Amino acid sequence: QVQLVESGGGLVQPGGSLRLSCTASGSIFGIGVMAWYRQAPGKQRDLVAGIKSSFERVYSDSVRGRFTISRDNAKNAIHLQMNSLNAEDTAVYYCNADVKESLDSSYKDYWGQGTQVTVSS
């Protein structure tokens, strides 16, 4: 089994910054894409940013230029630096990873429990 543990959420004022972290642990042979998604109340879960093991990145239009995703392959971890936060960024942020548990297994999709980010004055 694989566990994804997120940290770094909280309450921040508009214009402020937060840094989220996610670490994968357990039975890991390799990890493909790691990503951050978010879900606001009453809305669907949407991709925020993703990063391949090659460090190729993708961002949603709503966060490009404000958020930066990074990855530490040695630690099976990703981070999301969030700057210039606004109320529309308020959501539960989920870590996602495609994990290969052994040489012969296929990649499986894993999710963290989520961390709340609230942007409010």
Side-chain angles (χ1 to χ4, degrees), residues 6-21:
E6 302 115 331
S7 63
L11 173 65
V12 63
Q13 291 187 343
S17 299
L18 280 176
R19 186 174 187 256
L20 305 182
S21 296

Side-chain angles (χ1 to χ4, degrees), residues 1 17 32 94 102 105 113-114:
Q1 273 292 345
S17 299
Y94 295 92
S102 68
S105 69
Q113 291 296 309

Side-chain angles (χ1 to χ4, degrees), residues 6-64:
E6 302 115 331
S7 63
L11 173 65
V12 63
Q13 291 187 343
S17 299
L18 280 176
R19 186 174 187 256
L20 305 182
S21 296
C22 171
T23 300
S25 63
S27 179
I28 299 172
F29 179 81
I31 304 179
V33 176
M34 298 186 76
W36 290 98
Y37 286 74
R38 67 186 181 187
Q39 187 168 20
K43 296 188 176 181
Q44 66 181 23
R45 189 175 298 187
D46 291 325
L47 175 69
V48 175
I51 184 167
K52 295 182 178 180
S53 56
S54 62
F55 303 107
E56 180 180 347
R57 296 169 174 84
V58 61
Y59 295 97
S60 70
D61 289 342
S62 62
V63 308
R64 187 177 294 111

